[in-house]
C-alpha cells in the first residue's frame, strides 16, 4: 500500500503540533480487520484555521462535514493519485438524543501514523448505521479489552439506548 499521500498530510500536521488520529478503513486495516483501505479519515479537534494554515500549500478542498447524520465542524479533502485523505474537524454525529462529540483519541502508532480509538469508531459506525464495521470493532474490543477511560468519555454523550448498553457492557 502506498502511504505517501497520507504521510505527506500527517507530516504537516505533526510539524504544526496538530494532534490527529486515523480512523475509518485505515484504522480497520491497521488492526487487521479489513483487507483494503478505501480512503484515509483523519480526525482532529484543532480549529479549521489552524489546520488550513498547516496545509496551505497542499491542494485541499473544503467540503461540508457531510449529510445527516454527520455534525462535524469541517472537512478538508485531499484528492491524490493515491488514496483520498479527509481531515475531519471536531468529529461529531447526530443521534436521536442530540449531537455526539467523538474526540480525537490517539491509541497507537502504525507505520508512522497516529491511529484512533476502536471504541470511538465502533460508536461512530453504530451512529452511522454501518453495523458490519461496528461489529468488527466491538469484536476486536471484546477480544483485546476496552479502554475504560474512552468508554466513560463516550458514555457522557447523548447516545441511543442500544449503543449506550453496548458500551457499558465493555466495562
Amino acid at each position: 500500500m502506498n502511504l505517501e499521500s497520507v504521510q505527506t498530510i500527517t507530516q504537516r500536521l505533526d510539524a504544526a503540533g496538530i494532534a490527529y488520529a486515523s480512523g475509518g478503513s485505515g484504522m480497520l486495516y491497521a488492526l487487521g480487520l479489513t483487507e483494503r483501505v478505501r480512503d484515509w479519515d483523519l480526525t482532529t479537534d484543532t480549529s479549521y484555521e489552524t489546520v488550513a494554515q498547516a496545509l496551505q500549500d497542499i491542494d485541499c478542498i473544503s467540503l461540508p462535514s457531510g449529510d445527516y447524520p454527520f455534525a462535524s465542524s469541517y472537512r478538508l479533502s485531499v484528492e491524490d493519485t493515491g488514496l483520498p485523505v479527509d481531515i475531519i474537524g471536531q468529529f461529531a454525529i447526530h443521534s436521536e438524543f442530540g449531537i455526539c462529540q467523538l474526540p480525537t483519541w490517539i491509541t497507537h502508532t502504525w507505520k508512522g501514523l497516529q491511529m484512533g480509538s476502536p471504541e470511538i469508531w465502533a460508536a461512530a459506525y453504530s451512529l452511522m448505521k454501518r453495523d458490519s464495521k461496528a461489529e468488527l470493532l466491538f469484536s476486536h474490543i471484546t477480544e483485546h479489552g476496552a479502554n475504560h477511560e474512552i468508554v466513560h468519555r463516550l458514555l457522557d454523550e447523548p447516545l441511543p439506548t442500544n449503543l449506550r448498553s453496548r458500551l457499558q457492557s465493555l466495562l
Side-chain angles (χ1 to χ4, degrees):
M1 171 188 315
N2 183 349
L3 299 175
E4 188 175 331
S5 295
V6 71
Q7 287 173 334
T8 297
I9 303 299
T10 59
Q11 288 166 0
R12 297 292 177 86
L13 298 176
D14 289 337
I18 297 170
Y20 72 88
S22 178
S25 64
M27 184 193 61
L28 289 169
Y29 184 85
L31 294 172
L33 301 176
T34 190
E35 293 185 10
R36 96 179 173 86
V37 177
R38 188 178 57 84
D39 62 359
W40 292 98
D41 293 318
L42 306 177
T43 65
T44 183
D45 295 334
T46 304
S47 72
Y48 170 84
E49 294 77 18
T50 302
V51 172
Q53 176 66 31
L55 303 177
Q56 66 182 329
D57 61 339
I58 293 176
D59 193 17
C60 294
I61 301 167
S62 182
L63 299 168
S65 69
D67 295 333
Y68 186 88
F70 300 103
S72 303
S73 294
Y74 65 89
R75 181 170 58 126
L76 292 170
S77 185
V78 180
E79 293 296 325
D80 198 289
T81 54
L83 295 173
V85 179
D86 283 334
I87 299 109
I88 304 163
Q90 292 104 36
F91 189 30
I93 301 176
H94 287 273
S95 80
E96 61 259 34
F97 298 110
I99 295 175
C100 298
Q101 300 294 326
L102 302 166
T104 296
W105 203 302
I106 302 161
T107 59
H108 67 285
T109 301
W110 176 81
K111 297 194 184 270
L113 302 174
Q114 297 173 11
M115 304 309 290
S117 157
E119 295 85 355
I120 289 171
W121 277 88
Y125 280 133
S126 292
L127 292 166
M128 289 185 252
K129 310 264 188 259
R130 296 181 185 169
D131 296 331
S132 62
K133 291 182 179 185
E135 284 307 313
L136 284 173
L137 287 167
F138 277 119
S139 294
H140 174 82
I141 295 163
T142 300
E143 182 178 336
H144 296 281
N147 180 315
H148 290 196
E149 185 179 359
I150 296 171
V151 172
H152 283 292
R153 169 62 182 83
L154 287 168
L155 290 171
D156 289 338
E157 296 299 319
L159 300 171
T161 305
N162 61 339
L163 178 54
R164 179 173 300 285
S165 296
R166 187 79 186 263
L167 289 167
Q168 286 172 328
S169 76
L170 298 173
L171 297 174

